Amino acid sequence: MKKILAFAGSNSKNSINQKLVEYVASKMDSHQVRVINLINYPMVLYSEDEEKDNGFPGMALGLKQEISEVDALLISVNEHNGSWSAFFKNIIDWLSRLDRNFLEGKKILLMSTSPGKRGGVSSLEFAKNVLPRFGAEIVDSFSFPSFHDNFSVTSNTVTDETLLLGLNEVLSTFAHQI
Ligand SMILES: Cc1cc2nc3c(=O)[nH]c(=O)nc-3n(C[C@H](O)[C@H](O)[C@H](O)COP(=O)(O)O)c2cc1C
């Protein structure tokens, strides 16, 4: 049984990516998954002056430590104007300053969702290109389109059968590969 840390790249209280992460985490019963909410990891906006004058935010040190303790990560990125959110970029910038290889040896299942048909795929592709710079191995990825049409928050279920089959296949592959 491997250890997995799961989170969404969003600071929205009603984040649909966080809902997707929580759903997927609940299905990964062959591993030990811990879901965190990055809202609880506030970090001042990165600047070189901030780093020089005040050092690293405690939450960046804490998150880096939590990442170092697991085998794999389950991440769902939101999409703001074709990329991941400024909130998530800020976290990645701080972590990269702490350790350029902060994702070394980490296997990642990368996801994205949005209310639109593209399901945040631009942000997903961006994350697929950028995260390996820090040592990550992206094992698989999944973009979940039109979240509100295909997911029931009340019953915590995927309502579209084809999407459910695709997602199950990705989860099963990831569970075997980590
Ligand atoms: C500033 C801003 C930009 C956005 N840009 C996009 C976009 O480029 N593509 C997209 O699919 N959705 C876009 N959206 C809609 C988000 O996908 C939607 O707000 C979604 O709920 C964000 O995910 P989250 O709830 O996990 O934070 C944007 C929303 C905001 C506030």
Side-chain angles (χ1 to χ4, degrees):
M1 184 176 269
K2 302 282 185 176
K3 284 187 185 167
I4 304 173
L5 188 66
F7 52 82
S10 170
N11 61 347
S12 163
K13 270 187 279 184
N14 296 312
S15 167
I16 56 178
N17 284 276
Q18 186 73 23
K19 289 187 172 92
L20 183 62
V21 161
E22 281 165 14
Y23 169 80
V24 167
S26 74
K27 301 293 165 198
M28 299 217 53
D29 37 21
S30 55
H31 297 293
Q32 189 187 324
V33 191
R34 191 162 81 86
V35 181
I36 58 172
N37 191 325
L38 292 183
I39 288 181
N40 300 321
Y41 294 71
M43 295 177 206
V44 64
L45 187 63
Y46 180 83
S47 81
E48 294 190 32
D49 294 340
E50 175 68 29
E51 183 187 332
K52 258 188 231 128
D53 295 345
N54 299 318
F56 291 94
M59 287 299 175
L61 294 160
L63 183 57
K64 181 183 172 296
Q65 178 63 30
E66 288 180 52
I67 291 173
S68 75
E69 288 167 2
V70 298
D71 305 289
L73 298 170
L74 174 58
I75 302 175
S76 191
V77 286
N78 60 352
E79 182 166 309
H80 282 176
N81 297 316
S83 182
W84 56 25
S85 61
F87 168 76
F88 192 56
K89 177 160 180 22
N90 189 47
I91 291 177
I92 296 294
D93 285 346
W94 276 116
L95 292 173
S96 74
R97 292 295 295 162
L98 270 174
D99 176 3
R100 186 72 197 163
N101 291 315
F102 72 96
L103 293 177
E104 191 68 53
K106 305 300 167 197
K107 300 195 174 202
I108 299 189
L109 172 56
L110 199 55
M111 301 186 300
S112 67
T113 189
S114 84
K117 285 191 178 133
R118 286 171 49 80
V121 75
S122 298
S123 181
L124 183 78
E125 289 302 318
F126 180 81
K128 261 161 98 170
N129 284 327
V130 174
L131 293 180
R133 290 183 188 200
F134 313 116
E137 181 194 338
I138 310 294
V139 173
D140 212 342
S141 66
F142 192 85
S143 155
F144 190 98
S146 308
F147 182 80
H148 301 292
D149 299 333
N150 294 319
F151 191 90
S152 163
V153 173
T154 36
S155 60
N156 196 35
T157 51
V158 176
T159 51
D160 181 275
E161 270 184 34
T162 314
L163 263 182
L164 180 60
L165 284 174
L167 186 55
N168 283 342
E169 202 175 307
V170 167
L171 293 192
S172 151
T173 308
F174 182 63
H176 282 102
Q177 288 191 358
I178 61 175

